[in-house]
Amino acid sequence: MAPQSGEDDTALDPRVVRTRADVLHAAIGVLVEEGWDKLTHRHVAEVAGYSKATVYAHWPTRTDLLRETFSLFRDMPHHRPSGDLREDLVAELTMFRTAMQEYRLDRVLAVLADVAGAEPALAPVREEVVASGEHLVRDLLATVFSGGEAEAAAHMLCGVVLNPTFMHGRLPDDDLIRSAVDLLLRAAPGRSAT
Amino acid sequence: MAPQSGEDDTALDPRVVRTRADVLHAAIGVLVEEGWDKLTHRHVAEVAGYSKATVYAHWPTRTDLLRETFSLFRDMPHHRPSGDLREDLVAELTMFRTAMQEYRLDRVLAVLADVAGAEPALAPVREEVVASGEHLVRDLLATVFSGGEAEAAAHMLCGVVLNPTFMHGRLPDDDLIRSAVDLLLRAAPGRSAT
C-alpha cells in the first residue's frame, strides 16, 4: 500500500497504519486481560513497544484510545441467512456465543457496560457495537414480529446469550439456544407450533 | 442489642457491628460511584472515616472486602406473588428494574460480571447474588414450563431487563416488560393465547 495524497494523508501512510494497528492490538490485549483501568497511554505504549509520545500523538486522550479500541468490535462475524428462520436464529446466536469466547467479547462487553455507565463519552461506541451486533437478530425477528413484540423478542434472544455469560459465568449450550428460539417462534403470530 | 457469648463474640459486639456496617456502606458507595479498582483498604477506610488497620482487621484481603460488599446484594426486594402468573411476572421484572436504579444494581452487576471473570474467588458471590435475584422468576416460570424450556424462559425474561440496561444503557419500559411476558406466556404449554 503506497502513501496517497488526500485530506488525511497520515491515515494512509503505511508506517502510520502499522503503528496504529500495533497499538490498538496491544490495547485490546490490555483491555481483555487486565481491565480497562489498566488501559493508559503509558501501559499500552509499553506493551506495544512504542513511546508514550507516539500513543499520545495518535490518541490525545484516554477516551480517544478507549473509543477506538472498542470500535474494533463493531464488525463481528455474522451468520449468512439461509431463509430457514429457526436455523438462521440458532446459527446467529451460536455465532454470538462463539464471539464471546474467541474474540473475548464477554470481557469487552462487560467492560463496555461498566465503562459506558461511568464515562458518557463512550456511550456512542457502545451503541454502535451493540447495534451492529444485534442487527441480524433484529432483521430476522422482523419477519414474524412487529412493534413492541419485535423489540421484546430481540432483547429476549440476546438475553439468552448475555444472561448466562455475564450473570452465571458460563456460555449458553446448544440446547439452551434452541429451546429459546423454539419458545419464541411458537409465540410468533401466524406460525404453527413446532 | 447487647453483646452475647458464643463462638463468634466479635460479630455480635454492637461496636463491631457498627464499624462493619459503616465500612461496608462506604465500600458500596466506592464500588458504585468510583468502580471496583478504587475499592482498596486505604480508600474505603478514608471514605468510611476509620483507620486502614481497622479495615484490614475485619477483611484481611481485598477479595474478602469485595466479597462481603457484593454479598449485601443477595437480599434484594421481591414481589409477593398474588397467584396471577402474568401480573406476578410483570411485577417481579418491574421490581428488578427498580432495583437496577434505586440500589444501583446496574453498576453492581456490571462490576460483578467484570470482576468475577477476572477474579475466580468472587464467582461464588456472583452465583449467590444471581440465584437469589432470579429465584422468584424461576419459581413462577416452573408453574408452566419445565426442563430446558424453563431454563431458556428464565434467561429470556432476565435478559429483557439485562440487555437494555447493560447493552443499551437504558432501563426497559413497562411496554417492553409486558410484551416479553405476554410473548412468553403465549408459548407456554396448555395456556391459551392472551
Side-chain angles (χ1 to χ4, degrees):
Chain A
M1 190 196 298
Q4 297 171 24
S5 64
E7 282 181 13
D8 189 6
D9 276 349
T10 56
L12 297 166
D13 180 324
R15 291 161 304 177
V16 171
V17 169
R18 173 71 187 269
T19 301
R20 294 178 69 90
D22 286 349
V23 173
L24 290 174
H25 181 79
I28 290 175
V30 170
L31 190 72
V32 164
E33 303 297 337
E34 306 180 63
W36 79 283
D37 50 303
K38 298 293 187 302
L39 196 96
T40 59
H41 287 79
R42 175 187 297 276
H43 187 51
V44 169
E46 271 174 20
V47 174
Y50 287 88
S51 73
K52 205 172 72 171
T54 300
V55 180
Y56 270 108
H58 288 277
W59 300 276
T61 70
R62 186 163 175 261
T63 301
D64 294 329
L65 187 53
L66 280 164
R67 190 187 289 126
E68 191 154 355
T69 304
F70 282 122
S71 72
L72 295 173
F73 292 86
R74 274 179 309 201
D75 302 305
M76 290 287 101
H78 289 277
H79 170 63
R80 192 189 191 117
S82 69
D84 179 328
L85 181 60
R86 178 177 184 272
E87 291 311 316
D88 285 341
L89 285 169
V90 168
E92 175 66 1
L93 293 179
T94 304
M95 289 198 81
F96 184 14
R97 177 184 71 189
T98 303
M100 285 288 199
Q101 198 160 35
E102 289 192 3
Y103 296 89
R104 298 309 313 269
L105 202 56
D106 58 338
R107 300 282 304 138
V108 172
L109 291 179
V111 171
L112 199 49
D114 184 16
V115 171
E119 207 159 326
L122 291 166
V125 188
R126 174 174 62 181
E127 271 173 45
E128 284 176 27
V129 170
V130 170
S132 155
E134 293 184 354
H135 189 257
L136 182 56
V137 164
R138 287 177 178 274
D139 284 356
L140 291 169
L141 289 170
T143 63
V144 284
F145 292 105
S146 58
E149 288 207 339
E151 182 71 15
H155 289 297
M156 290 163 94
L157 284 192
C158 294
V160 156
V161 180
L162 213 66
N163 200 57
T165 305
F166 284 175
M167 295 294 99
H168 297 264
R170 55 172 185 271
L171 297 172
D173 62 17
D174 290 348
D175 280 350
L176 186 61
I177 289 176
R178 288 195 177 273
S179 294
V181 170
D182 285 345
L183 256 181
L184 203 68
L185 292 186
R186 214 194 291 151
R191 277 182 74 94
S192 57
T194 49
Chain B
M1 191 195 300
Q4 296 171 21
S5 64
E7 282 179 17
D8 189 6
D9 277 350
T10 55
L12 295 166
D13 180 326
R15 290 161 307 180
V16 172
V17 169
R18 171 72 188 270
T19 301
R20 294 178 69 91
D22 286 349
V23 173
L24 290 174
H25 181 79
I28 290 175
V30 169
L31 190 72
V32 164
E33 302 297 336
E34 305 180 63
W36 78 285
D37 52 302
K38 297 293 187 303
L39 195 96
T40 60
H41 287 81
R42 176 187 296 276
H43 186 52
V44 169
E46 271 174 19
V47 173
Y50 287 88
S51 74
K52 206 173 70 171
T54 300
V55 179
Y56 271 107
H58 289 278
W59 300 275
T61 68
R62 184 163 176 262
T63 301
D64 295 328
L65 187 53
L66 280 165
R67 191 189 287 127
E68 191 154 353
T69 304
F70 283 122
S71 73
L72 294 173
F73 291 87
R74 275 179 309 202
D75 302 306
M76 290 285 102
H78 289 277
H79 170 63
R80 192 188 193 117
S82 69
D84 178 329
L85 181 59
R86 177 176 185 271
E87 290 311 315
D88 285 341
L89 285 170
V90 168
E92 175 66 1
L93 293 180
T94 304
M95 288 198 81
F96 185 14
R97 176 185 70 190
T98 302
M100 286 287 200
Q101 197 160 33
E102 289 193 2
Y103 297 89
R104 298 309 312 268
L105 203 56
D106 58 338
R107 299 283 303 140
V108 172
L109 291 178
V111 171
L112 199 50
D114 183 17
V115 171
E119 208 159 325
L122 291 167
V125 188
R126 174 174 61 181
E127 274 173 43
E128 285 177 27
V129 170
V130 171
S132 155
E134 292 184 355
H135 189 257
L136 181 57
V137 164
R138 287 178 178 273
D139 284 356
L140 291 169
L141 289 171
T143 62
V144 284
F145 293 105
S146 58
E149 287 207 339
E151 183 71 15
H155 289 297
M156 290 163 93
L157 283 193
C158 294
V160 156
V161 180
L162 213 65
N163 199 59
T165 305
F166 285 174
M167 294 295 99
H168 296 265
R170 56 171 184 270
L171 297 172
D173 63 18
D174 290 347
D175 280 349
L176 186 61
I177 290 177
R178 290 197 174 270
S179 294
V181 170
D182 284 344
L183 255 181
L184 203 67
L185 292 185
R186 214 193 291 152
R191 279 181 73 97
S192 57
T194 49

